[in-house]
Amino acid sequence: MDTIQKVMREPVLLAYPFFLIRSFYRVLGLHLMAWWNGGTCQIGQSVRIKHPTVFQGRGKLIVSNYVTLGYRLAGAMNMPIILQPREPGAVISIDERTAVMNGCELIARTQIEIGTNCRIGPHTLVYDSDFHELAPDRRDESGKSAPIVIGDNVWIGSRVMILKGVSIGNDAVIAAGSVVTKDVPQGSIVAGTPAKQVGSVRLI
């Protein structure tokens, strides 16, 4: 009886099977989008896709076990998650138990690597390339690209931008609205535009 009463108090529990079925079809959709674009998609076990997610590009996407993509209460409900390994040799990898929220864009011309148990807030943009040269007469040419590596247990707030060549150490915290242009030491807290160290998780 207690279980029945709990379900009646939490109607969302009644929809749980529907959520699982929808997640299954979204995983299938990623595989189909990868095939259609000429890329490859490797999805681990118990991956939950709770928000519309788009695969674009001709590279490789690796999503490990127990990853969560999207959340119904995370905001940005009208913005899909975009996973775009753009070039044939590009790789986007998301390791186990990491959560990527609604409206995030991960766009790689080389590599974006995200570690285990990370939390990536809504509207976060991760770009490993300038995409175009800076000089006015060369903007039709490809810009510089460099891999991005995000360590384990990193917490990234909403509306963060992470640019090419950045390495973020384990346990670091990136404050909401930050623009990360340089490496972030392990366990540090950074904030601002451009992001600078303002504290350490070891001192909290």
Side-chain angles (χ1 to χ4, degrees), residues 125-137:
L125 310 177
V126 184
Y127 299 156
D128 78 344
S129 178
D130 292 334
F131 301 110
H132 305 282
E133 285 289 349
L134 294 177
D137 59 344

Side-chain angles (χ1 to χ4, degrees), residues 20 81 176:
L20 289 178
I81 298 169

Side-chain angles (χ1 to χ4, degrees), residues 5 7 15 25 37 48 52-53 55 60 65 70 76 80 88 93 95 103 124 127 131 133 160 165 176 182 185:
Q5 290 175 345
V7 169
Y25 280 107
N37 285 279
R48 296 287 179 258
T53 302
F55 179 103
K60 185 174 185 178
N65 302 338
S93 63
D95 215 338
T124 291
Y127 299 156
F131 301 110
E133 285 289 349
V160 169
K182 296 181 179 179

Side-chain angles (χ1 to χ4, degrees), residues 8-26:
M8 296 304 294
R9 289 196 302 268
E10 299 287 345
V12 70
L13 295 178
L14 295 172
Y16 187 69
F18 167 75
F19 294 150
L20 289 178
I21 293 170
R22 185 171 62 179
S23 178
F24 169 80
Y25 280 107
R26 284 175 171 164

Side-chain angles (χ1 to χ4, degrees), residues 23-37 39-43 47-49 51-57 61-63 67 69 81-85 94:
S23 178
F24 169 80
Y25 280 107
R26 284 175 171 164
V27 169
L28 179 61
L30 277 183
H31 285 289
L32 291 174
M33 283 184 275
W35 172 78
W36 182 261
N37 285 279
T40 58
C41 189
Q42 179 180 319
I43 307 292
V47 171
R48 296 287 179 258
I49 303 182
H51 187 75
T53 302
V54 176
F55 179 103
Q56 298 171 325
L61 171 66
I62 303 171
V63 181
V67 165
L69 300 176
I81 298 169
I82 296 176
L83 305 174
Q84 187 185 109
I94 305 172

Side-chain angles (χ1 to χ4, degrees), residues 6 31 46 51 55 70 95 97 138 143 162 184 190 193 196:
K6 182 178 180 181
H31 285 289
S46 299
H51 187 75
F55 179 103
D95 215 338
R97 298 186 303 280
R138 297 180 60 198
I162 300 172
V184 176
V190 301
T193 307
K196 297 180 180 178

Side-chain angles (χ1 to χ4, degrees), residues 88-168:
V91 178
I92 295 175
S93 63
I94 305 172
D95 215 338
E96 294 187 357
R97 298 186 303 280
T98 283
V100 179
M101 292 297 101
N102 311 340
C104 288
E105 297 182 12
L106 279 59
I107 302 180
R109 299 190 72 174
T110 55
Q111 182 177 11
I112 295 172
E113 179 182 333
I114 301 173
T116 62
N117 201 39
C118 293
R119 297 159 178 83
I120 302 179
H123 301 281
T124 291
L125 310 177
V126 184
Y127 299 156
D128 78 344
S129 178
D130 292 334
F131 301 110
H132 305 282
E133 285 289 349
L134 294 177
D137 59 344
R138 297 180 60 198
R139 287 185 186 163
D140 290 335
E141 301 176 22
S142 298
K144 296 179 180 178
S145 301
I148 292 172
V149 178
I150 299 173
D152 298 334
N153 200 37
V154 173
W155 180 11
I156 299 172
S158 64
R159 300 184 186 275
V160 169
M161 177 175 282
I162 300 172
L163 300 181
K164 69 178 189 302
V166 164
S167 179
I168 299 176

